[in-house]
Amino acid sequence: MNRLLIFSVFVVASCGLAYELIAGALASYLLGDSILQFSSIIGCYLFAMGIGSHLSKYIPAQRTLDAFIEIELLVGLVGGFSALLLFVLFAWVGGPFRPLLYVLVLLTGILVGMEIPLVMRILNEQKTDFAELVSRVLTFDYLGALAVSLLFPLILAPKLGLSRSALFFGILNVGIALLAIQTF
């Protein structure tokens, strides 16, 4: 179970960074001024992840695994359809697009921010050594981020585009939820 949970950290970290990169790229394409867009999207996303991390402490101990599965399904749905939804909203609403963009970034970031604390709590319930727990989780979190930071601009965005890349990562999140349902 530990190895599977650690593997899930790699996947959810990859997905989380992918949604952030997709939102930043999409905002840059649609609104221009890429430095402003990427900086504000990254800042908003990280802030939202902090909120999600904080909110995760309110999930009762007996619900951590169920909550993790539910959050993976929600992240897969929200993140997976985020680019498509934003493109459609931009075409239909035009003017007030920026608030809608940031609402979606905040929602995705809050959900993503809850993932790693929940995995750490699940692993902690198994009486994993704390130093080992933190080391493993953060190692695979950062490795997942590295993988996507290379794959996204070099392969995924050029070959799949933003909408299909987001759907791909949404499927990965849902896959982790289904794997958790079957395994745990």
Side-chain angles (χ1 to χ4, degrees), residues 71-93:
I71 287 167
E72 286 310 297
L73 293 171
L74 279 171
V75 171
L77 183 65
V78 173
F81 288 103
S82 62
L84 187 60
L85 178 64
L86 288 170
F87 278 127
V88 168
L89 288 172
F90 183 79
W92 283 351
V93 274

Side-chain angles (χ1 to χ4, degrees), residues 5-144:
L5 279 170
I6 294 299
F7 171 73
S8 76
V9 169
F10 179 84
V11 174
V12 300
S14 299
C15 295
L17 182 59
Y19 300 133
E20 187 176 355
L21 293 172
I22 289 165
L26 191 141
S28 293
Y29 295 159
L30 298 178
L31 301 173
D33 195 356
S34 62
I35 293 172
L36 174 64
Q37 300 313 322
F38 267 99
S39 296
S40 59
I41 293 293
I42 289 169
C44 180
Y45 197 85
L46 289 173
F47 171 71
M49 286 176 63
I51 293 170
S53 181
H54 176 76
L55 292 175
S56 72
K57 76 178 186 179
Y58 297 108
I59 295 172
Q62 64 273 18
R63 286 227 354 102
T64 53
L65 182 58
D66 291 339
F68 176 73
I69 291 167
E70 292 163 3
I71 287 167
E72 286 310 297
L73 293 171
L74 279 171
V75 171
L77 183 65
V78 173
F81 288 103
S82 62
L84 187 60
L85 178 64
L86 288 170
F87 278 127
V88 168
L89 288 172
F90 183 79
W92 283 351
V93 274
F97 173 75
R98 192 179 306 266
L100 298 172
L101 168 69
Y102 286 103
V103 165
L104 191 60
V105 168
L106 281 168
L107 177 60
T108 307
I110 288 169
L111 291 170
V112 167
M114 296 176 85
E115 293 171 324
I116 299 301
L118 288 174
V119 169
M120 291 179 77
R121 287 175 58 189
I122 293 166
L123 286 167
N124 192 46
E125 289 170 6
Q126 298 174 4
K127 306 298 182 218
T128 306
D129 176 60
F130 184 73
E132 179 71 18
L133 168 78
V134 172
S135 172
R136 281 175 139 185
V137 168
L138 292 180
T139 296
F140 282 89
D141 183 32
Y142 298 147
L143 286 173

